[in-house]
Amino acid sequence: MRTLAFQMPDRGGGPSGPRMRVGRPSRRARTLLMTMGVLAVLAMLFIMFAGFWTDWLWFRSVKYSTVFTTTLWTKIGLFAVFGLLMAGAVGLNIWLAHRLRPPLSAMSMEQQSLDRYRMSIAPYKKWLLLGIAVLVGLIAGASAAGQWKTWLMYVNGVTFGTKDPQFNMDVSFYTFDLPWYRFLLGFGFAAVVLSVIAAAVVHYLYGGLRVTSPGARATAAATGHLSVLLGLFVTLKAVAYWLDRYGLAVKSSDFKAADNWTGLRYVDANAYLPAKTILVAIAAICAVLFFATLWRRTWQLPVIGFGLMVLSAILIGGLYPAIVQKFQVQPNEQAKESPYVQKNIKATRDAYGIAGSEVTDYPGVSQTDDRTKLRPLADTTASIRILDPNIVSPAFQQLQQVKGYYAFPSTLAVDRYSGQDTVIGLRELNIGGIPKNNWINDHFKYTHGYGVVAAKGTTVGAEGAPDFTQSDLPSKGMFGTDFEQRIYYGEQTKQYSIVGGPQKELDYSDDKGEKETSYQGDSGVNLDSPVNRAAYALTFNEPQILYSGAIGDGSRILYNRTPKDRVEAVAPWLTIDGAPYPAVIDGRIKWIVDAYTTTNGYPYASRTTLGQSTADSLTNSQRAVVAQENQVNYIRNSVKATVDAYDGSVDLYQWDTQDPVLKTWMKAFPGTVKPKADIAKPLMDHLRYPQDLFKVQRELLTRYHVTDPQTFLSGSEAWAVPDDPTTKAGTAVPPYYLSMKMPGQKEKDQVFSLTTTFTPNERPNLSAFMAVNADPGTADYGKIRILKMPTSKPPDGPGQVQSKFQSEPKIAESIRLLRGGDSEIEYGNLLAVPLDGGMLYVEPVYVRSSGLKYPLLRKVLVTYGGQTAFEDTLEKALNVVFGAEAPTTPVPPVQPPGDGTVTPPTIQDPTVKAALGDAQKAIEEAEKARQAGDWAAFGKAQEDIKAALKRAIEAEAKAATPAPSAPSAPSAPSAPSGQ
């Protein structure tokens, strides 16, 4: 009878007997605590509401509320469905394990210890069950909500019309279906594993599983319950093995032939694929054995089956493929791998849009004996851009900034207007330049930039300054003045502004003083409502928004103001190019943003990391591609987007009408992307081939220009993107826009193009030149042409050309003189142009003196066929290189040192002295005009400097010319040295 004291007939009851009375808080304290708790809950709810509400208001303000609602309801639906499934699965198995507990526990020390835990949780069993179910449901629901893109692509996916070469499945299966199946499989594994753990804990707690107790280790009920769960786990493993078969087509692997190789190789097709099929059958048999435990009530066969499955996975799935690779593939790798390499080449070229690349042999040397005949050909072949948008921003800043609270981007844009390559930038607001920073100034008074500044790309003005075609404030010139010049949305406009209310904004300043304005657009979110003000005060952590008197009727808050941020927000399924650019279109300033659809599930296509492929010597945080860490193996420039610089309106236009990924997203978000036919001609004239796509394609073409698998495997024809020779950073040379005519081009005239060069791996020579037609107004838009140089006698590459420029004695001496006191030399873009079988290189040379603080174009370097010229103008340099004109006699130029004064060389000729004196006076006048902001006087002084230096050079050349003389008598012998 004594032993009965250790038995617990009621496994669900709680403790009985007298309870200790504990002092309770007073009613006032309880009321206070309850009030504080309610307020805390309300505060948390309002914080959550504020984020949701401000997002909704913003999407509604840009007229893309359907994007917000579709995304929100998709997330809510996934959260609810999968959260409930996970909570139900785990909760059901906990309840079932408790229901199947044995009525009596064994008499053992183990069970006596567990009795204490059973008794302590007995009163809270229902709440504990509910809490665990809710917790795992919330975690699973949140994880599922993050798969909203995967779900939308799965339910809206359209076919590619292309099938993979191994399984004959449409590409859409791998890009849209397989990711969703993998998510479902992962969710199933998580649900089963959590259920097994939860059920095992409950069975152990209530005696269904025993570790040290005498007798059987598990009751029949616990055995049956857990065996079913383990059978489900093994069933899912069989499904996983089956999906792994298709996963081989998109599997990344290390392969010496190519980085980030994707797709099946010989060992995959002949070892891994059959192994996976065999493992499916073994796993299915093992699952049946686990389910059979319901009747046999023994673990013997399932354990044997599971051990067999694990052993098979090691031998069949691991050891056998290694043997095939070692003894079949390696001895004859090229023959074995060639068919699979061919599939990879084709898929990669298709996925990245480089299948239509046209590779032609190019001699690399001139085909014309008389070089003078090439001079006119140089003019018709290319409009060579000598104004480098990556260098001249400080000149725009110094000459056109006007006020310290304006700024231009460090890298300007290249566009074309009236057939002329043009460098263009916007005078954006610079918060750091505001005279006094405070909340009113930063967010109410200084709210926008003002004006467009543009300059010719192929010519320069006085003394090498930009030849402006649109300038001043308000800006005037080629665009006129009758267009909206205010810039409320720009690349550097990252702070929020509150406009349109009682607080007036600074519009711009001129000689008559400051002009004020009040925003008239319908952009932004109205702050009339106290709820809106409270929500934004919380969102921006700025309490003054709630009570400031500067906010009143008509006040609107503007935020998410950079073009990239706005496009990414309204189309979160797009990858955004790193270089938006402005254009003046129909009286408005529009930001043009290139956007891409991508996937990493294109079978057999090798992957690339966007951030690595698009990096070059100009890449910075402002120009980096959005989602740069993403790995992709399919990319299309499927959308052209515009953002109005005044009202921030965003328009998305379908560009690639054949892209299945874009069609899928257009089904998911109907009405968000306008058809290509809606692109008006004024906008079409300013669209161009995007830089980031070009950089991804050129990176792939270093290897995938080769279509023969044997050559691809050998790596003998692999190329590299050269480092930028004009910098010391060791980063890739950026691609350059210029209007040019390629050999074999259909168009008779020059075409706006994007160009780059290639070198052989580990060698500095030029191996190829690549250009893409960047003008959408032509029939060959997007056509990639590659000129392949001979491997026996390749022409010089960019690095070699730069080295020869700098090592040429006369050029080196001239550059030394240009440096003067503490002036700096900056090399502009080294442009390469194919010309008559050879390569013409052109590089502008800028001088930045400490007095002027910005670079001026002083010289142009040109080389062709071993001939080099270093002249003041491009025209002169081309004439010299092609023998149409003699080179200029080197004359030491006069450069202002750091203090702005000129120290002329020792000159005896009075005319030269007078001219240099005039130059000194003109430089002093220019510096005074610059400091006073008198740009008209500054321009006149620059012309005076140029005229004075010209007189000095002409006088010096005249003095250096020897006068004719009669023959002289033989001279006497020279005296010995030292006498």
Side-chain angles (χ1 to χ4, degrees):
M1 296 296 293
R2 176 178 292 180
T3 57
L4 294 178
F6 297 100
Q7 296 178 357
M8 298 290 297
D10 181 8
R11 312 308 301 277
S16 59
R19 297 183 180 181
M20 183 181 296
R21 296 183 63 86
V22 180
R24 301 177 63 186
S26 64
R27 177 176 295 180
R28 171 181 284 184
R30 291 199 306 271
T31 303
L32 179 61
L33 290 173
M34 184 176 296
T35 302
M36 292 177 62
V38 170
L39 290 176
V41 170
L42 290 176
M44 293 178 61
L45 290 175
F46 187 76
I47 291 173
M48 297 172 59
F49 167 79
F52 162 82
W53 184 243
T54 54
D55 285 347
W56 160 250
L57 291 174
W58 186 86
F59 275 95
R60 190 176 65 175
S61 73
V62 292
K63 300 177 177 59
Y64 281 88
S65 55
T66 56
V67 174
F68 178 81
T69 54
T70 300
T71 303
L72 178 65
W73 286 115
T74 302
K75 290 179 179 180
I76 291 175
L78 292 172
F79 179 89
V81 170
F82 287 94
L84 289 173
L85 285 175
M86 181 64 77
V90 175
L92 175 64
N93 281 282
I94 292 175
W95 175 84
L96 189 59
H98 181 266
R99 182 72 180 268
L100 296 175
R101 68 192 185 279
L104 297 175
S105 60
M107 294 177 291
S108 66
M109 293 301 296
E110 178 185 21
Q111 292 302 312
Q112 292 180 44
S113 299
L114 291 174
D115 278 342
R116 292 194 295 271
Y117 295 105
R118 290 193 287 262
M119 293 173 64
S120 62
I121 67 173
Y124 313 107
K125 286 188 296 185
K126 292 181 180 179
W127 290 108
L128 188 61
L129 171 62
L130 182 62
I132 294 174
V134 168
L135 178 62
V136 297
L138 289 174
I139 296 174
S143 175
Q147 298 293 322
W148 65 273
K149 292 183 181 179
T150 307
W151 166 251
L152 288 177
M153 294 182 78
Y154 172 70
V155 296
N156 295 287
V158 301
T159 61
F160 275 68
T162 301
K163 296 184 178 181
D164 80 282
Q166 181 68 43
F167 301 102
N168 203 34
M169 302 284 287
D170 191 87
V171 172
S172 60
F173 171 78
Y174 300 93
T175 56
F176 304 141
D177 299 344
L178 189 58
W180 180 249
Y181 295 153
R182 288 189 180 279
F183 165 72
L184 291 179
L185 188 63
F187 178 84
F189 273 122
V192 171
V193 169
L194 289 175
S195 296
V196 168
I197 294 172
V201 169
V202 174
H203 279 302
Y204 175 70
L205 184 62
Y206 286 94
L209 294 178
R210 307 181 186 100
V211 178
T212 61
S213 299
R217 298 299 182 189
T219 63
T223 300
H225 184 193
L226 294 177
S227 65
V228 170
L229 291 176
L230 292 174
L232 290 174
F233 179 86
V234 178
T235 300
L236 290 175
K237 190 62 181 175
V239 176
Y241 282 135
W242 183 257
L243 289 181
D244 284 347
R245 298 170 67 255
Y246 299 104
L248 292 172
V250 290
K251 176 181 69 77
S252 291
S253 60
D254 296 328
F255 191 30
K256 66 180 182 180
D259 297 330
N260 296 313
W261 172 275
T262 304
L264 285 84
R265 291 158 52 193
Y266 180 89
V267 68
D268 297 312
N270 295 277
Y272 281 110
L273 186 57
K276 296 291 184 183
T277 306
I278 294 172
L279 288 172
V280 169
I282 294 175
I285 295 172
C286 185
V288 171
L289 294 177
F290 273 106
F291 292 135
T293 307
L294 282 172
W295 297 276
R296 294 180 56 85
R297 305 296 184 181
T298 175
W299 290 94
Q300 184 176 7
L301 285 179
V303 170
I304 293 174
F306 188 78
L308 177 62
M309 186 180 72
V310 173
L311 182 63
S312 300
I314 296 172
L315 296 178
I316 302 175
L319 184 59
Y320 174 61
I323 293 173
V324 171
Q325 179 68 24
K326 179 70 175 178
F327 295 103
Q328 292 190 33
V329 178
Q330 289 185 3
N332 192 16
E333 186 174 35
Q334 288 203 347
K336 297 290 187 181
E337 300 287 16
S338 286
Y340 304 95
V341 171
Q342 186 68 63
K343 296 174 184 177
N344 175 268
I345 291 173
K346 183 181 185 306
T348 302
R349 288 169 63 88
D350 289 340
Y352 289 94
I354 57 178
S357 301
E358 182 181 277
V359 181
T360 57
D361 291 331
Y362 191 72
V365 295
S366 177
Q367 304 300 293
T368 302
D369 295 333
D370 187 356
R371 295 162 58 86
T372 59
K373 294 181 179 179
L374 299 180
R375 177 62 188 90
L377 185 62
D379 289 335
T380 58
T381 298
S383 297
I384 299 172
R385 179 174 45 76
I386 57 175
L387 194 67
D388 188 345
N390 314 310
I391 288 183
V392 299
S393 179
F396 274 53
Q397 190 82 355
Q398 288 291 325
L399 300 177
Q400 291 295 321
Q401 179 188 22
V402 182
K403 295 293 182 180
Y405 45 81
Y406 292 132
F408 292 91
S410 58
T411 299
L412 302 175
V414 177
D415 203 348
R416 60 241 186 260
Y417 290 89
S418 302
Q420 166 74 43
D421 289 2
T422 301
V423 177
I424 185 172
L426 300 187
R427 191 184 288 109
E428 294 191 44
L429 179 66
N430 173 27
I431 286 293
I434 294 176
K436 184 177 180 180
N437 288 103
N438 54 54
W439 190 62
I440 294 296
N441 279 350
D442 292 354
H443 300 288
F444 289 82
K445 184 174 182 180
Y446 295 90
T447 59
H448 60 278
Y450 203 103
V452 181
V453 177
K456 294 180 181 179
T458 54
T459 61
V460 293
E463 290 302 301
D467 186 2
F468 293 113
T469 56
Q470 184 82 19
S471 58
D472 299 335
L473 181 66
S475 68
K476 56 182 178 292
M478 65 185 297
F479 306 136
T481 58
D482 189 19
F483 68 97
E484 181 54 70
Q485 299 193 28
R486 298 173 183 86
I487 303 158
Y488 283 88
Y489 294 88
E491 286 187 288
Q492 301 182 65
T493 314
K494 298 180 180 179
Q495 76 286 350
Y496 71 88
S497 290
I498 299 176
V499 298
Q503 176 68 47
K504 293 294 184 181
E505 310 163 46
L506 173 66
D507 203 17
Y508 65 91
S509 298
D510 60 14
D511 297 337
K512 298 179 181 179
E514 292 185 349
K515 308 292 184 182
E516 290 187 334
T517 189
S518 185
Y519 186 67
Q520 300 299 315
D522 60 355
S523 183
V525 178
N526 198 303
L527 294 179
D528 289 349
S529 166
V531 175
N532 290 1
R533 293 177 67 169
Y536 279 104
L538 187 61
T539 300
F540 290 111
N541 195 27
E542 184 48 73
Q544 293 186 77
I545 295 178
L546 187 59
Y547 56 79
S548 174
I551 302 175
D553 291 342
S555 291
R556 309 178 72 85
I557 185 168
L558 313 180
Y559 61 105
N560 283 356
R561 298 172 71 182
T562 69
K564 286 196 292 186
D565 286 347
R566 294 182 77 78
V567 175
E568 187 182 23
V570 303
W573 32 272
L574 291 174
T575 299
I576 311 303
D577 189 273
Y581 59 99
V584 179
I585 302 169
D586 287 339
R588 310 284 289 193
I589 300 173
K590 299 276 191 179
W591 288 97
I592 299 176
V593 184
D594 286 288
Y596 310 107
T597 49
T598 62
T599 179
N600 67 348
Y602 197 99
Y604 271 100
S606 290
R607 291 185 171 91
T608 185
T609 303
L610 289 178
Q612 295 176 0
S613 297
T614 58
D616 59 31
S617 62
L618 302 179
T619 302
N620 53 37
S621 58
Q622 187 68 52
R623 294 176 59 87
V625 62
V626 173
Q628 57 180 322
E629 298 301 322
N630 285 8
Q631 273 207 334
V632 304
N633 66 353
Y634 172 92
I635 186 169
R636 289 289 186 273
N637 177 213
S638 52
V639 171
K640 300 284 188 180
T642 63
V643 177
D644 191 287
Y646 181 75
D647 63 21
S649 58
V650 181
D651 291 308
L652 307 177
Y653 297 97
Q654 182 183 18
W655 185 246
D656 189 334
T657 58
Q658 303 301 317
D659 177 27
V661 181
L662 178 60
K663 291 178 180 179
T664 295
W665 286 119
M666 290 175 70
K667 282 181 63 180
F669 296 97
T672 58
V673 181
K674 298 179 180 180
K676 187 175 183 178
D678 286 0
I679 300 178
K681 188 180 186 307
L683 172 59
M684 183 72 76
D685 290 341
H686 294 281
L687 300 181
R688 67 187 191 188
Y689 202 83
Q691 294 184 60
D692 284 338
L693 175 61
F694 184 79
K695 287 187 279 188
V696 169
Q697 290 174 326
R698 76 171 178 179
E699 179 65 31
L700 269 296
L701 281 167
T702 58
R703 292 163 288 140
Y704 287 93
H705 66 278
V706 174
T707 56
D708 175 62
Q710 298 290 333
T711 307
F712 186 91
L713 283 167
S714 71
S716 60
E717 292 292 329
W719 299 337
V721 177
D723 290 339
D724 189 346
T726 65
T727 68
K728 298 180 180 179
T731 48
V733 63
Y736 296 122
Y737 286 106
L738 75 157
S739 294
M740 61 174 296
K741 186 176 181 181
M742 281 284 285
Q745 180 178 296
K746 292 182 180 179
E747 289 82 3
K748 295 181 180 179
D749 299 324
Q750 297 173 9
V751 172
F752 193 62
S753 304
L754 191 53
T755 66
T756 193
T757 53
F758 295 107
T759 58
N761 266 338
E762 308 297 332
R763 290 169 56 198
N765 310 98
L766 186 69
S767 59
F769 175 85
M770 171 180 167
V772 63
N773 184 336
D775 186 352
T778 57
D780 270 356
Y781 170 79
K783 178 71 173 180
I784 297 175
R785 294 181 174 88
I786 299 175
L787 304 180
K788 183 180 176 183
M789 308 298 158
T791 56
S792 56
K793 293 183 179 180
D796 291 339
Q800 291 175 309
V801 170
Q802 186 71 28
S803 296
K804 289 182 178 181
F805 277 159
Q806 295 173 339
S807 62
E808 179 75 25
K810 293 182 179 179
I811 295 177
E813 177 63 18
S814 297
I815 289 176
R816 185 186 68 80
L817 293 171
L818 282 173
R819 283 197 171 94
D822 57 357
S823 298
E824 297 178 3
I825 298 294
E826 295 186 37
Y827 294 98
N829 37 219
L830 179 58
L831 301 177
V833 177
L835 181 68
D836 189 51
M839 292 301 297
L840 174 69
Y841 286 98
V842 179
E843 182 178 56
V845 178
Y846 294 82
V847 177
R848 186 197 297 255
S849 68
S850 60
L852 293 180
K853 302 293 186 183
Y854 62 89
L856 296 174
L857 180 65
R858 293 299 191 188
K859 293 286 184 178
V860 179
L861 284 162
V862 175
T863 184
Y864 182 83
Q867 299 294 320
T868 301
F870 187 57
E871 300 292 339
D872 293 341
T873 65
L874 174 62
E875 182 179 8
K876 173 72 173 178
L878 291 172
N879 288 343
V880 171
V881 161
F882 293 112
E885 191 174 347
T888 302
T889 303
V891 175
V894 181
Q895 289 297 318
D899 57 0
T901 62
V902 173
T903 304
T906 303
I907 300 294
Q908 302 299 325
D909 188 275
T911 306
V912 176
K913 285 185 177 181
L916 292 178
D918 292 342
Q920 172 66 40
K921 292 178 182 178
I923 289 175
E924 293 172 355
E925 292 297 325
E927 180 62 17
K928 291 178 182 178
R930 185 188 68 80
Q931 294 177 357
D934 187 350
W935 302 114
F938 179 83
K940 183 179 182 302
Q942 294 288 333
E943 293 293 337
D944 293 342
I945 294 171
K946 186 176 180 180
L949 291 177
K950 183 178 180 181
R951 293 201 310 272
I953 292 171
E954 291 175 348
E956 178 67 16
K958 184 176 180 180
T961 303
S965 60
S968 60
S971 60
S974 301
S977 176
Q979 295 183 0

